Amino acid sequence: MQDFVYQSAPMRVVFGAGTLRQLPYELSHLGVTSALVLATPRQKDLVAGIREMIGERFAGVFTGAVMHTPVEVTERAMETVRDMRADGLVAIGGGSTTGLGKAIALRTDLPQIVLPTSYSGSEMTPVVGQTSGGIKTTQSSPKILPETVIYDVDLTMTMPPKLSATSGINAIAHAVEALYARDRNPLISLMAEEGIRALAQALPTICAQPNDKTARTGALYGAWLCGICLGAVGMALHHKLCHALGGLFNLPHAETHTVVLPHALAYNAPAAPDAMAQVAAALGEPDPALGLQDLARKLGSPLSLREIGMPESGIDQAADLAVKNPYWNPRPIERAAIRELIARAWRGDAPRLSCAGAGLATST
């Protein structure tokens, strides 16, 4: 067994069905007396219920969160925080709302409670990605990590099947990269394989029967495990590519991860055979890259970057950005091979290894 260092996150997790009702206690536990609720306009009924539930602790609501956490949106939210004298945050939603809460916490160190309605997993991490001038960068700080996450399966029951599918594969991407991370460890690897397995089993049922509560519970459980992986170890090529593509072309976050993941996995396959074996075992497929693309196809998810709005003219620009200040990766980052990867993902081709230099060394 390899040497390793493991540090658990100082976070409180409440998991189950109907757990939203514990929000008043969790606010008291954190000493929050004036909570700003972060939500989206379509969650107005849920916000109304929360307002009634927490009473005088409700300071107000901000509904302007958008993908990729633009800095200008965070600045508008900060004005609301100051105007309402909020001393805590309650973020309801997926990655966009959670990201906004984390961006505010980075600037204020206000305590956060997150109520996820998707499988994004970002609630489990001390990392926030922020976009300015079309470039998305990440930052890590203990202030960013939410203090409490309330996982309520009931909040995911109305998530549309297509969003459930891409959000779930986005979560799987966190676990896949955790299996070949430079700072991986046995506990996180166990969580990663179990998280992939839980989601791969639950997502087809959810797409066929969206009201299946057992499947919804399994998917949320898997997403939680994959989110822990994302927060515990470093990510690699796949996340670098998705950040570059999302920031450059304002592509939808979960769909971008869904399209790119099989291709990034194929790129790294020769340099990470043990991880590939674990992904294959979790999926029940002999070829994990093809297995992931087949899963996306079965779920009716997009298979090409072209489908989700990336222009073909952007392939070279994306390749240039992907090799600039690259993340650590088990296989060296080579521009020609990365360009081929992006081009295949743009077309929606089957994932295929470009063998030049594959697995001969590791980047540092």
Side-chain angles (χ1 to χ4, degrees), residues 169-190:
I169 295 178
N170 177 28
I172 288 174
H174 309 328
V176 166
E177 293 228 294
L179 287 170
Y180 52 64
R182 176 168 49 180
D183 52 352
R184 64 190 180 277
N185 64 72
L187 182 58
I188 292 301
S189 293
L190 286 171

Side-chain angles (χ1 to χ4, degrees), residues 35 43 85 98 118 123 161 182 191 213 222 267 276 279 290 316:
Q43 293 165 329
R85 298 183 180 180
T98 303
S118 76
E123 67 276 356
R182 176 168 49 180
M191 291 183 182
K213 199 161 188 176
Y267 183 96
M276 298 306 108
V279 177
L290 285 174
D316 282 300

Side-chain angles (χ1 to χ4, degrees), residues 175-181 193 196 261-290 292 329-330 353:
V176 166
E177 293 228 294
L179 287 170
Y180 52 64
E193 189 170 341
I196 295 168
L261 181 59
H263 299 278
L265 192 62
Y267 183 96
N268 281 330
D274 291 343
M276 298 306 108
Q278 289 175 279
V279 177
L283 294 173
E285 297 284 349
D287 185 319
L290 285 174
L292 283 168
N329 193 60
L353 172 67

Side-chain angles (χ1 to χ4, degrees), residues 76-273:
R76 291 202 301 270
M78 285 295 301
E79 292 178 5
T80 304
V81 170
R82 289 188 289 267
D83 291 345
M84 296 181 175
R85 298 183 180 180
D87 63 0
L89 305 168
V90 176
I92 310 166
S96 296
T97 309
T98 303
L100 177 60
K102 292 163 76 171
I104 294 171
L106 176 65
R107 292 160 173 78
T108 64
D109 203 20
L110 289 177
Q112 305 170 74
I113 297 178
V114 181
L115 304 170
T117 61
S118 76
Y119 306 134
S120 73
S122 62
E123 67 276 356
M124 285 287 114
T125 78
V127 177
V128 63
Q130 302 179 94
T131 303
S132 179
I135 303 298
K136 188 172 184 177
T137 58
T138 59
Q139 189 168 345
S140 180
S141 167
K143 294 190 292 186
I144 295 170
L145 187 71
E147 279 71 17
T148 302
V149 177
I150 299 177
Y151 286 108
D152 189 338
V153 176
D154 293 344
L155 296 181
T156 69
M157 295 298 295
T158 58
M159 188 173 15
K162 287 189 175 182
L163 176 58
S164 300
T166 55
S167 181
I169 295 178
N170 177 28
I172 288 174
H174 309 328
V176 166
E177 293 228 294
L179 287 170
Y180 52 64
R182 176 168 49 180
D183 52 352
R184 64 190 180 277
N185 64 72
L187 182 58
I188 292 301
S189 293
L190 286 171
M191 291 183 182
E193 189 170 341
E194 173 68 4
I196 295 168
R197 181 179 294 107
L199 281 159
Q201 291 175 351
L203 291 175
T205 300
I206 289 171
C207 287
Q209 304 173 44
N211 294 325
D212 189 309
K213 199 161 188 176
T214 299
R216 290 285 188 181
T217 301
L220 191 59
Y221 163 70
W224 169 50
L225 293 176
C226 293
I228 292 173
C229 296
L230 176 65
V233 297
M235 297 288 105
L237 172 65
H238 169 77
H239 283 76
K240 173 67 173 183
L241 284 175
C242 291
H243 284 165
L245 293 165
L248 281 173
F249 308 113
N250 197 33
L251 302 181
H253 181 82
E255 288 86 345
T256 304
H257 279 267
T258 299
V259 172
V260 171
L261 181 59
H263 299 278
L265 192 62
Y267 183 96
N268 281 330

